[in-house]
Amino acid sequence: MTGALALRLAALALLLAFLFDPAAFAPVFAPLAQHGAPAIYSQASLLDLTVSHLRIVALATAASAVLAITLGILVTRRAGAEFLPLSRAIVNIGQTFPPVAVLAVAAPLVGFGEAPTFIALFVYGLLPIFENTLSGLQQVSPAVMEAARGAGMGPWRRLWEVELPLASPQIFEGVRLSTVIAIGTATIGSTVAAKGLGEVIIAGLLSDNTAFVAQGGLVVGVMAVLIYDAMGAAERLLLRRLGVLAD
């Protein structure tokens, strides 16, 4: 076992231990709680908040990936090339308007809770996946494509058996990046009553309790690192099975 892997496993074990029994870590956070304030957030289960946080991230990232990859494929086809500027304008909306602004617009339209948070994360996650999909597909060697045509492959077969496998490393990297961004950004969902770890951070800020802020921030940060690494490992395994990455 490498040192890096051992460190990640230790971080995962500590994270799970904290989520399942946060009270056991009260002495760790007690120095950050002032004026007799509680050291551990107890208004809601930290485990439940974490699950809700990850669920909205997973749903929004999956929706972003479906649309962004579809658009990336469309604009790299001859028939859809003219839609590239429009597609870029669509996926850039999330970067033009900050998530807080998207929440402010979405909440009056769809109500409070998870819906506006989903919309904000969905819009914000489009750009990394779209640009990586576009870049990956455009970098497929013309010689490889010509060889595929010479082998009698039609357009759809070339897409599924040649282009997407070769572009998949960049596509997966875009999805990983979008996921990590969403994990951090989802904390603002608590401002519109969505369940998540932002609830802990906001409670700490409102009550001037640094212990709560540290708990929410640490859980979000550790999760982002561990999930990014786990997705990378899953990506390498899948690419080996596709024959894109050598063993």
Side-chain angles (χ1 to χ4, degrees):
M1 181 184 296
T2 65
L5 178 58
L7 183 61
R8 286 167 174 78
L9 290 175
L12 176 60
L14 280 173
L15 176 62
L16 292 175
F18 176 68
L19 293 177
F20 279 96
D21 188 14
F25 291 78
V28 176
F29 292 98
L32 300 176
Q34 301 175 350
H35 310 298
I40 299 296
Y41 184 77
S42 58
Q43 298 303 309
S45 165
L46 288 174
L47 180 60
D48 289 345
L49 292 177
T50 301
V51 171
S52 297
H53 192 101
L54 291 177
R55 181 167 57 84
I56 191 66
V57 166
L59 291 173
T61 302
S64 296
V66 169
L67 178 58
I69 294 172
T70 301
L71 286 176
I73 293 172
L74 172 65
V75 300
T76 52
R77 307 305 97 184
R78 183 176 300 176
E82 62 183 290
F83 294 104
L84 177 57
L86 175 61
S87 298
R88 273 216 164 101
I90 292 173
V91 300
N92 271 295
I93 291 176
Q95 307 300 317
T96 304
F97 300 98
V100 173
V102 177
L103 281 178
V105 173
L109 297 176
V110 299
F112 288 81
E114 289 191 350
T117 306
F118 173 87
I119 293 172
L121 297 181
F122 165 72
V123 172
Y124 207 60
L126 290 171
L127 183 62
I129 304 174
F130 175 78
E131 289 296 343
N132 277 43
T133 300
L134 192 65
S135 176
L137 291 172
Q138 289 176 336
Q139 290 180 20
V140 175
S141 169
V144 172
M145 293 299 293
E146 189 59 37
R149 290 189 190 94
M153 291 186 180
W156 285 107
R157 189 177 172 194
R158 289 197 302 270
L159 173 65
W160 288 104
E161 296 186 18
V162 178
E163 293 182 80
L164 286 177
L166 291 176
S168 56
Q170 287 184 266
I171 296 174
F172 289 141
E173 181 60 29
V175 175
R176 288 171 70 194
L177 180 58
S178 181
T179 302
V180 171
I181 291 173
I183 290 172
T185 308
T187 55
I188 66 171
S190 296
T191 61
V192 289
K195 287 187 65 178
L197 291 165
E199 178 179 321
V200 184
I201 297 173
I202 292 173
L205 293 173
L206 293 177
S207 62
D208 194 25
N209 190 336
T210 308
F212 290 176
V213 177
Q215 286 161 46
L218 283 172
V219 172
V220 170
V222 172
M223 279 199 314
V225 172
L226 292 177
I227 290 174
Y228 186 83
D229 287 346
M231 291 179 70
E235 172 191 331
R236 289 189 292 273
L237 179 61
L238 180 59
L239 292 178
R240 288 192 183 98
R241 291 188 176 182
L242 291 173
V244 177
L245 190 66
D247 292 327

